[in-house]
Amino acid sequence: MRLAPKKTCQLILDTNNHYLGALKGNQSSLHKSVQANFIAEASYTELSKGHGRLEKRVVSLCTTLDTIKPWPGLKTLVRVESERQFNYGGQPRRETETRYYIASFLESAESFAQRIRGYWGVENKVHHVRDVTQGEDASRIRMHQLPQIFAVARNFALNLYRSNEFSNMAQAERLCKFGLDTLKTIFRMK
């Protein structure tokens, strides 16, 4: 059974926990309400340079929720405005993006920025690897418990690769697919 985001947030609160979640189009009335009524009360700016691009992120907070559609435990609205500058085909490019988040707790804008960046670290280290390298999204396995079993197997493989100090998961997978000696070493077999 799939849970609606509103019910999921309520379940999280019922277990004495908090949530910080991305606000997307599937909650269109709340999303539109936040976009229209967001008034920044505090903000934090961070600049980062790497991978051939310069990125500026401005994280703004709003705790005035009078005009926002009711939501379980909602205490803070977060807006992240990203601006990326990079070269593409030898030409300079600039991309901007605005994302919104909802949270059931109060913190500084800098703390929210770190939490949101931390989430993207997990996304890049786990979900991206599972989706792209291991082809999880393309999997046609749908019967009974098989999707969960294969998810456990994929996670097991990633943990083995990392425990054997592979930094490139695609390279680790290729070596293990085509090299019995590598598999023996990873599984500590003789």
Side-chain angles (χ1 to χ4, degrees):
M1 175 179 107
R2 293 191 85 149
L3 294 174
K6 200 171 198 175
K7 289 181 182 177
T8 302
C9 288
Q10 187 59 56
L11 281 173
I12 292 168
L13 295 170
D14 290 346
T15 59
N16 295 322
N17 290 296
H18 291 287
Y19 63 82
L20 169 62
L23 190 55
K24 297 183 180 179
N26 61 344
Q27 292 297 319
S28 61
S29 60
L30 178 61
H31 192 248
K32 288 176 185 173
S33 175
V34 169
Q35 282 179 313
N37 299 299
F38 190 96
I39 299 169
E41 298 165 7
S43 64
Y44 171 75
T45 302
E46 63 182 12
L47 296 170
S48 62
K49 187 176 181 179
H51 303 289
R53 66 178 176 246
L54 177 66
E55 187 168 4
K56 176 183 174 184
R57 283 177 297 282
V58 179
V59 177
S60 304
L61 304 181
C62 175
T63 56
T64 305
L65 308 173
D66 303 337
T67 56
I68 304 299
K69 183 183 175 198
W71 194 265
L74 181 61
K75 291 194 175 143
T76 308
L77 303 174
V78 182
R79 179 177 64 200
V80 179
E81 298 167 296
S82 299
E83 180 183 323
R84 286 178 289 284
Q85 296 175 359
F86 57 96
N87 286 328
Y88 184 76
Q91 300 295 317
R93 282 190 111 162
R94 184 174 161 251
E95 289 180 352
T96 59
E97 180 183 22
T98 302
R99 298 180 308 275
Y100 291 92
Y101 296 82
I102 56 175
S104 63
F105 56 95
L106 300 169
E107 268 189 0
S108 69
E110 183 176 359
S111 294
F112 275 112
Q114 291 171 354
R115 285 181 185 271
I116 291 167
R117 292 292 290 169
Y119 164 77
W120 284 109
V122 171
E123 178 68 29
N124 291 335
K125 287 182 181 173
V126 179
H127 300 294
H128 179 76
V129 172
R130 285 174 56 177
D131 292 345
V132 176
T133 304
Q134 295 179 325
E136 187 173 64
D137 285 350
S139 174
R140 307 277 298 153
I141 300 168
R142 304 277 187 267
M143 291 180 56
H144 309 293
Q145 298 299 317
L146 286 178
Q148 288 88 358
I149 292 168
F150 272 81
V152 168
R154 288 182 188 106
N155 285 337
F156 181 69
L158 287 178
N159 288 332
L160 278 174
Y161 300 156
R162 288 196 174 107
S163 72
N164 282 278
E165 299 179 7
F166 282 102
S167 58
N168 183 324
M169 297 302 120
Q171 180 186 34
E173 198 150 296
R174 281 191 299 276
L175 285 170
C176 290
K177 282 181 180 176
F178 301 112
L180 186 58
D181 291 335
T182 306
L183 275 176
K184 284 181 181 179
T185 303
I186 286 177
F187 283 103
R188 294 168 181 86
M189 299 168 63
K190 295 182 180 189

